Amino acid sequence: MKIKNIAVAAFLLLSALEGNAQVQKQNKADKEYAHLAYIDAIDTYEKVANKGYKNEEMFQRLGNAYYFNGELVKAVKWYNELFEMNKEQEPEYLYRYAQTLKAVGEYAKADEILKAFHNKINSDKRGILFENNKNYLEQINVNSGRFEIKEAGINSTQTDYGSAFLDNKLVFASARDTGGIAKKKFKWTNKSFTNLYRAELAPDGTVGKPERFEKKINSKFNESTPVFTKDGKTMYFTRNNFLGGKRKRDDQRNTLLKLYKADFVNGKWTNIIELPFNSDQYSTAHPALSSDEKKLFFASDMPGTLGQSDLYSVTINGDNTFGKPENLGSAINTEGRETFPFISAENELYFASDGRPGLGGLDVYVSQMNSDGTFTTVQNVGAPVNGKQDDFAFIIDSKTRNGFFSSNREGGVGNDDIYKFAETRKLTCEQTLSGTIVDSENNAPLDNAKVVLLDEEFKTINEATTNADGTYSFKVDCNKKYHVRTIKENYETKEIPVTTKETAGKTEVAVPLEKRIKPIDVGTDLAKTLNIPIIYFDLDKSTITKQAAFELEKIIAVMQQYPKIKIDVRSHTDSRQTAKYNLDLSNRRAKSTMQWLIKSGINKNRLTGKGYGESQLVNKCADNVPCTEAEHQLNRRSEFIIVSME
């Protein structure tokens, strides 16, 4: 397509511009569990914490347990402990901490935490447009089939493109009757150019016979892509660098593209001036007006452009003055070409780009402009507007949802043709956020679990209850941050952050829940039930470390809750050193553990213990087998087996 090649006289297209789960009390009379006992994990943590032990994960869980139930005054105690222990927490904890601080009247401190929260999330860039997106064709297919298109009926055998609405008329660029010949390979010369034409738009959608636009606007060089104010009194358009009979060139002797403005006075277009941010050294082209007509959007390759051509906006001050052009940024622009912007009455930004995954050449994309100047996810409008060739210059009437676009697709009348369309279904970017809630121990699906969908500021949006197969589903927006909070009786409440994908489709989030009310019986290993790390002895040591003491407090809490429980302490080592040395070491560790428990108030008659050395390894790391330190550590463990509950 000629209009996207870099050439001296060809036109803008030629200039690379185209172109709340609560703690459950055990019901000891419950017949279904008559022979079992249960441990409340949160209650156990709190008993341990109240003895002065500090553990980051424990404080997180305790704070969350109260926060999710709305008990902010209780939660602040544990969040205070958490941040005193480690100020570097995930953004979610900063937000929760600030809210709990406000609950106790500490507003100044809460503001400090909120500031830190915002700083953290603002620096967390998650939105890469498209990296390793293998299913882009599938995503485009979701957006396709929303248009009925036809050839506009105004095309010539030459080039026709870049239309605009003016009252009940369509104004467009055409190379017809200009004396130039469009070669098959689009090798244009300075004698080939486009002028503006207009045609009546009938109520039934048909387009009348084209006629030349005013001679004052058309020159011996290229004119294209006009846009008009709603009152029809001002137009902006693109032309080669030619005004007042004078043609200007850049340092390489090329005649580039510029934006011009004209006024409609006494039935004539006059007062043609070039816009002040033009330059002889770079091109500006394809103007578009914001819906309030306070900003002008355009394409340019001016200094600061991210790619070959970018989209910019500039404030219209009035009295022929304008603000400083601003690049729309990486949310819109790529290393490729972004060009032909159009702003609908609903503040939709349509534009053409070859820098995004598409169907071929320039594709038409759309993004909703927010009131703060930001943009929503850019979406490909899909087929049949987009195809294998170049598709661009998309305009739409927001009331009728009818419009026009240009394309050099096969089967056209000329080189580039104008097509009309009727949009049968508006484009929305919707994701299905779904998943399965399962038991973390056995991966069994959990039914009747409450799933709460929250926004980025933790405000509840929707709620659901899992089906018999443990599944849930929500309809959400694309490329947006959410939190999925899951609540299930006898399980710990869990919350997972999620950012939905940029394009329509599915985002799956499975949530494994850990039992909070855990059954115990003879044979239960309390180390596994209480999630006690299997490693808390240093290499060749049998001394109870500070971390080991924290973990052993959990054992004490359970034994105090059930005074008749008897425990067998079993100690294991890795395979390094001799078998005799390891057996002796494990016996010392078992004895050291029992002595610590007895010293902490557990009757010695409730404890037995033995060392097993390296005789019960949990992996391959036997003598002379190469293993990592982490693999060896898995074998240095203690087990706390319930041998009696009576």
Side-chain angles (χ1 to χ4, degrees):
M1 181 177 179
K2 63 204 156 292
I3 52 180
K4 294 169 299 299
N5 298 324
I6 299 177
V8 174
F11 189 46
L12 192 47
L13 301 169
L14 287 170
S15 68
L17 293 176
E18 278 63 34
N20 298 0
Q22 293 182 342
V23 173
Q24 302 296 315
K25 295 182 179 179
Q26 177 191 352
N27 183 354
K28 297 181 180 180
D30 193 326
K31 294 181 180 180
E32 184 177 359
Y33 301 102
H35 301 294
L36 298 176
Y38 297 85
I39 296 171
D40 185 321
I42 297 301
D43 182 60
T44 300
Y45 286 139
E46 195 155 19
K47 288 176 181 177
V48 173
N50 284 330
K51 285 192 174 184
Y53 289 94
K54 297 181 181 295
N55 176 270
E56 188 171 343
E57 183 181 4
M58 176 181 68
F59 292 146
Q60 289 174 341
R61 291 190 175 190
L62 284 171
N64 292 344
Y66 290 117
Y67 184 87
F68 294 149
N69 283 312
E71 296 181 77
L72 304 186
V73 175
K74 291 184 178 180
V76 71
K77 171 183 178 181
W78 302 117
Y79 286 147
N80 273 329
E81 294 281 4
L82 174 64
F83 281 85
E84 183 178 334
M85 187 174 187
N86 182 8
K87 290 182 171 60
E88 294 301 316
Q89 298 294 328
E90 293 296 318
E92 292 85 354
Y93 285 101
L94 289 167
Y95 182 86
R96 295 173 196 163
Y97 188 30
Q99 298 301 93
T100 58
L101 286 168
K102 290 181 180 180
V104 294
E106 294 186 30
Y107 290 100
K109 187 174 181 179
D111 289 344
E112 293 176 6
I113 299 300
L114 281 174
K115 182 178 180 180
F117 167 77
H118 285 301
N119 288 338
K120 252 189 176 178
I121 61 172
N122 286 337
S123 63
D124 184 19
K125 297 182 179 179
R126 299 176 180 264
I128 298 174
L129 281 175
F130 195 88
E131 183 176 339
N132 301 321
N133 188 350
K134 303 292 194 311
N135 66 336
Y136 73 92
L137 290 176
E138 177 184 337
Q139 298 300 333
I140 293 175
N141 185 58
V142 172
N143 294 345
S144 296
R146 303 181 300 105
F147 299 93
E148 295 177 353
I149 69 170
K150 294 180 180 178
E151 191 268 321
I154 55 173
N155 293 302
S156 69
T157 57
Q158 305 301 309
T159 291
D160 302 277
Y161 73 96
S163 50
F165 296 117
L166 174 60
D167 297 324
N168 63 335
K169 298 178 181 64
L170 186 72
V171 182
F172 61 97
S174 178
R176 72 188 70 192
D177 303 325
T178 60
I181 298 176
K183 302 298 183 181
K184 184 177 181 180
K185 294 184 179 181
F186 311 123
K187 295 181 178 179
W188 287 56
T189 69
N190 286 346
K191 292 181 181 180
S192 299
F193 52 86
T194 58
N195 282 168
L196 296 184
Y197 286 73
R198 60 189 168 198
E200 295 286 333
L201 289 174
D204 63 359
T206 59
V207 186
K209 183 179 179 180
E211 61 181 23
R212 278 182 180 272
F213 205 70
E214 287 192 25
K215 186 176 181 179
K216 186 79 172 180
I217 298 299
N218 287 325
S219 72
K220 64 180 181 179
F221 289 99
N222 294 286
E223 284 79 32
S224 180
T225 54
V227 64
F228 302 87
T229 56
K230 295 183 181 72
D231 61 10
K233 294 182 179 180
T234 303
M235 72 177 290
Y236 300 90
F237 63 100
T238 311
R239 178 193 282 173
N240 283 121
N241 192 349
F242 179 81
L243 184 65
K246 295 182 179 181
R247 172 185 176 184
K248 296 182 179 180
R249 298 176 172 89
D250 67 1
D251 293 341
Q252 284 73 46
R253 306 292 296 167
N254 293 328
T255 300
L256 302 180
L257 301 164
K258 287 188 175 183
L259 292 175
Y260 297 83
K261 174 179 176 289
D263 299 323
F264 192 64
V265 180
N266 297 324
K268 298 289 182 179
W269 288 102
T270 186
N271 301 330
I272 301 175
I273 62 171
E274 70 167 272
L275 300 189
F277 49 84
N278 285 329
S279 172
D280 296 340
Q281 303 305 317
Y282 57 79
S283 288
T284 56
H286 306 319
L289 284 167
S290 61
S291 58
D292 61 6
E293 300 186 344
K294 293 181 179 180
K295 282 190 174 184
L296 187 73
F297 291 76
F298 61 94
S300 180
D301 59 353
M302 67 175 60
T305 298
L306 303 179
Q308 297 176 37
S309 65
D310 285 1
L311 298 187
Y312 289 79
S313 70
V314 63
T315 300
I316 302 173
N317 298 322
D319 299 326
N320 294 326
T321 65
F322 295 80
K324 181 180 179 180
E326 296 182 0
N327 191 297
L328 297 193
S330 60
I332 298 298
N333 295 314
T334 70
E335 294 83 0
R337 295 171 295 169
E338 277 67 49
T339 185
F340 293 102
F342 174 80
I343 314 298
S344 74
E346 297 180 338
N347 285 322
E348 301 160 310
L349 168 63
Y350 291 91
F351 64 98
S353 173
D354 65 0
R356 299 170 179 272
L359 297 179
L362 288 172
D363 272 15
V364 177
Y365 295 83
V366 63
S367 176
Q368 183 71 41
M369 293 196 301
N370 299 317
S371 59
D372 61 357
T374 60
F375 297 88
T376 61
T377 300
V378 174
Q379 297 190 75
N380 188 301
V381 302
V385 167
N386 289 325
K388 297 179 181 179
Q389 307 301 321
D390 288 316
D391 308 290
F392 56 98
F394 182 102
I395 66 172
I396 188 170
D397 184 322
S398 293
K399 293 181 179 180
T400 65
R401 306 305 292 183
N402 296 332
F404 298 85
F405 72 97
S406 304
S407 177
N408 68 341
R409 63 187 56 196
E410 295 180 0
V413 178
N415 300 319
D416 297 304
D417 293 304
I418 299 172
Y419 294 81
K420 62 181 180 179
F421 66 81
E423 186 182 55
T424 59
R425 173 173 57 89
K426 292 188 68 174
L427 177 62
T428 58
C429 189
E430 188 177 72
Q431 279 273 324
T432 299
L433 177 58
S434 60
T436 305
I437 311 302
V438 299
D439 187 303
S440 62
E441 292 183 5
N442 54 28
N443 211 38
L446 299 176
D447 65 350
N448 204 35
K450 181 180 179 181
V451 184
V452 183
L453 179 68
L454 307 101
D455 65 13
E456 187 176 358
E457 297 181 347
F458 294 88
K459 295 178 181 178
T460 299
I461 300 174
N462 204 348
E463 295 182 359
T465 302
T466 56
N467 302 316
D469 58 358
T471 60
Y472 71 92
S473 179
F474 297 108
K475 291 295 184 181
V476 296
D477 295 332
C478 298
N479 194 30
K480 194 170 182 178
K481 295 179 181 179
Y482 295 94
H483 298 271
V484 176
R485 183 181 297 165
T486 308
I487 303 164
K488 171 71 174 175
E489 185 177 353
N490 296 336
Y491 286 83
E492 290 192 41
T493 297
K494 189 169 186 177
E495 187 176 271
I496 296 178
V498 58
T499 300
T500 53
K501 297 177 182 177
E502 288 191 348
T503 53
K506 296 180 180 180
T507 297
E508 296 187 0
V509 179
V511 184
L513 293 185
E514 186 176 334
K515 286 182 179 177
R516 139 180 228 171
I517 306 299
K518 303 181 179 182
I520 59 174
D521 203 350
V522 172
T524 298
D525 181 0
L526 291 179
K528 293 181 179 179
T529 302
L530 295 172
N531 292 319
I532 295 176
I534 58 178
I535 309 143
Y536 54 78
F537 283 108
D538 294 331
L539 181 63
D540 292 335
K541 302 293 183 180
S542 60
T543 304
I544 301 297
T545 64
K546 184 177 181 180
Q547 178 61 27
F550 164 71
E551 305 296 348
L552 289 174
E553 281 289 351
K554 300 176 187 178
I555 303 297
I556 292 175
V558 174
M559 297 187 76
Q560 289 175 340
Q561 182 179 357
Y562 298 98
K564 294 184 179 181
I565 279 183
K566 293 183 179 181
I567 300 295
D568 184 43
V569 180
R570 302 174 184 178
S571 180
H572 304 268
T573 69
D574 58 37
S575 63
R576 291 175 289 187
Q577 298 288 351
T578 65
K580 182 180 184 304
Y581 177 90
N582 287 330
L583 183 61
D584 291 340
L585 176 60
S586 62
N587 277 319
R588 292 197 301 272
R589 288 177 174 174
K591 183 177 180 180
S592 177
T593 301
M594 293 169 61
Q595 289 175 340
W596 193 94
L597 293 171
I598 293 170
K599 185 178 180 180
S600 299
I602 301 301
N603 192 302
K604 64 180 181 180
N605 295 328
R606 299 176 62 192
L607 299 169
T608 57
K610 179 181 177 180
Y612 291 83
E614 59 180 273
S615 65
Q616 297 182 7
L617 302 177
V618 297
N619 53 30
K620 64 178 183 180
C621 300
D623 292 340
N624 301 318
V625 176
C627 286
T628 65
E629 178 61 28
E631 289 173 320
H632 281 301
Q633 285 179 343
L634 293 175
N635 291 308
R636 299 202 304 271
R637 68 197 190 278
S638 286
E639 300 168 330
F640 300 86
I641 309 299
I642 298 176
V643 295
S644 175
M645 297 186 66
E646 297 179 358

